Amino acid sequence: MKLIKCLNILKATSFSIFVYPKGHVKENRGMNEAPIQIFDVNRTDKGKIIVQGFLQKYKDYKVKEIIPHSTGINIVVE
């Protein structure tokens, strides 16, 4: 699933997007492999996601993992 579709389906208010290179190893995340880019996306008061900046660049990347946590959702794309 592409990142922009994932953001539209999930109904959380805030997201943290972690962009990794293609073919990265899940077990090495954060230790041997650093993400290419990390950025946050928030919904407006009316529930819209504004597509600009980093999100515009990475919106067609493939979602590899969705990690829910207490304050939002982490999404790993490559």
Side-chain angles (χ1 to χ4, degrees):
M1 171 183 340
K2 292 185 179 183
L3 176 59
I4 196 70
K5 183 176 181 179
C6 179
L7 293 175
N8 287 327
I9 291 172
L10 298 174
K11 298 302 178 192
T13 57
S14 65
F15 304 93
S16 293
I17 312 297
F18 296 87
V19 181
Y20 282 89
K22 278 196 180 281
H24 77 282
V25 179
K26 179 180 176 179
E27 289 77 18
N28 291 339
R29 281 188 207 149
M31 294 183 297
N32 297 337
E33 291 188 52
I36 296 171
Q37 185 72 45
I38 300 173
F39 59 96
D40 294 322
V41 176
N42 295 311
R43 290 187 184 274
T44 63
D45 294 337
K46 295 185 179 188
K48 298 264 185 185
I49 295 175
I50 300 170
V51 179
Q52 62 183 0
F54 293 120
L55 186 56
Q56 182 67 33
K57 182 177 178 182
Y58 297 116
K59 70 179 183 178
D60 291 328
Y61 277 48
K62 187 174 181 179
V63 173
K64 286 302 201 179
E65 191 173 4
I66 299 170
I67 308 165
H69 61 87
S70 61
T71 60
I73 296 179
N74 291 344
I75 300 175
V76 177
V77 298
E78 68 175 35

